[in-house]
């Protein structure tokens, strides 16, 4: 095995551990989903077990990421970024960042509808920042009902009940930054959680600002 291959394999374990923790998945849950034993997964993350295609393929399917992302394969010289949209709750999320953990960036697209949906505010832990690219966004935050045109931004504590939708039924495109809890609430469906149901604690604390960034 050449040195470059060894260097790639050496970072697989920490990369897998960081990805699992960022998704909020336990080793037991991962073992049940992939069919790989909990002890094997633990040794793989700690570097005591070498990664193989047989082990990585079910992990890539579970995490819904390309195999190259798991191993951190070197780029081949193609500068293009291949974005993979995630469809949840009738909306489209295009991930713009790939680093496990920390703040994540997404382009969010709310499709046009003949009749705008009514607000259904939810809560979850975290903090969210958004910037409207196109369309008119309706932001319901606690007792406030705001309409944001293109070029306006807002930031708020997501423990405050909130809802995003189209203000006039037209399509809306926006950029969103949020942390771990926000990623779980928006783009990951947990077992037993119906679409649109956010996990978190209700509250009215926090603040919101809307206007030019």
């Amino acid at each position: 095995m050449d040195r470059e291959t060894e260097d790639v394999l050496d970072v697989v374990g920490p990369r897998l551990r960081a990805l699992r923790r960022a998704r909020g998945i336990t080793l037991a849950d991962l073992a049940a989903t992939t069919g790989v034993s909990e002890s094997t997964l633990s040794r793989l993350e700690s570097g005591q077990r070498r990664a193989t295609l047989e082990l990585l393929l079910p992990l890539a399917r579970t995490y819904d990421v390309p195999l190259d992302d798991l191993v951190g394969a070197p780029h081949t010289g193609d500068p293009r970024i291949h974005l993979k949209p995630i469809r949840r709750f009738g909306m489209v999320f295009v991930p713009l960042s790939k680093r496990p953990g920390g703040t994540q960036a997404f382009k969010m697209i709310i499709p046009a509808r003949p009749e705008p949906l009514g607000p259904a505010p939810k809560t979850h832990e975290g903090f969210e920042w958004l910037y409207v690219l196109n369309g008119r966004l309706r932001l319901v935050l606690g007792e406030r009902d705001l309409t944001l045109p293109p070029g306006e931004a807002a930031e708020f504590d997501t423990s405050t009940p909130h809802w995003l939708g189209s203000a006039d039924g037209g399509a809306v495109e926006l950029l969103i930054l949020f942390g771990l809890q926000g990623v779980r609430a928006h783009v990951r469906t947990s077992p037993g959680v119906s679409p649109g149901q956010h996990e978190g604690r209700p509250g009215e604390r926090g603040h919101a600002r809307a206007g030019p960034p």
Side-chain angles (χ1 to χ4, degrees):
M1 183 182 299
D2 59 63
R3 184 60 195 174
E4 183 178 1
T5 301
E6 289 184 357
D7 289 342
V8 169
L9 292 177
D10 284 343
V11 301
V12 170
R15 188 182 299 271
L16 290 174
R17 181 183 291 111
L19 183 58
R20 177 176 60 79
R21 290 177 176 174
R23 299 293 180 90
I25 303 174
T26 66
L27 281 172
D29 290 339
L30 190 59
T33 302
T34 61
V36 180
S37 71
E38 190 173 341
S39 61
T40 297
L41 292 170
S42 178
R43 286 187 287 123
L44 183 61
E45 289 187 358
S46 65
Q48 299 176 20
R49 174 72 179 265
R50 280 292 189 185
T52 65
L53 191 60
E54 183 181 7
L55 293 174
L56 292 177
L57 281 176
L59 290 172
R61 286 194 293 267
T62 297
Y63 292 134
D64 193 23
V65 298
L67 191 60
D68 284 356
D69 286 4
L70 295 185
V71 299
H75 294 296
T76 59
D78 187 346
R80 292 173 297 178
I81 299 174
H82 303 284
L83 304 176
K84 293 191 174 182
I86 301 169
R87 290 172 173 80
R88 292 288 188 272
F89 319 139
M91 296 179 287
V92 179
F93 297 85
V94 182
L96 303 178
S97 58
K98 303 173 74 173
R99 180 176 60 86
T103 301
Q104 301 292 315
F106 289 83
K107 179 180 180 181
M108 176 178 171
I109 302 171
I110 303 174
R113 294 177 178 272
E115 294 291 335
L117 292 177
K122 306 297 181 183
T123 65
H124 56 85
E125 296 179 358
F127 199 83
E128 192 163 317
W129 180 93
L130 60 85
Y131 177 83
V132 182
L133 296 171
N134 292 296
R136 292 169 58 81
L137 175 72
R138 183 181 180 188
L139 169 62
V140 176
L141 184 65
E143 300 298 322
R144 306 179 67 182
D145 195 333
L146 307 170
T147 297
L148 279 66
E152 287 202 338
E155 57 181 357
F156 52 90
D157 187 328
T158 53
S159 65
T160 300
H162 61 282
W163 177 85
L164 306 178
S166 172
D168 53 16
V172 183
E173 298 182 20
L174 57 151
L175 296 178
I176 292 186
L177 298 177
F178 43 44
L180 176 59
Q181 298 296 337
V183 173
R184 290 179 186 170
H186 286 283
V187 301
R188 176 173 175 265
T189 303
S190 301
V193 178
S194 60
Q197 179 182 354
H198 290 180
E199 297 177 341
R201 59 184 187 279
E204 292 293 338
R205 67 182 176 86
H207 68 282
R209 292 188 299 171

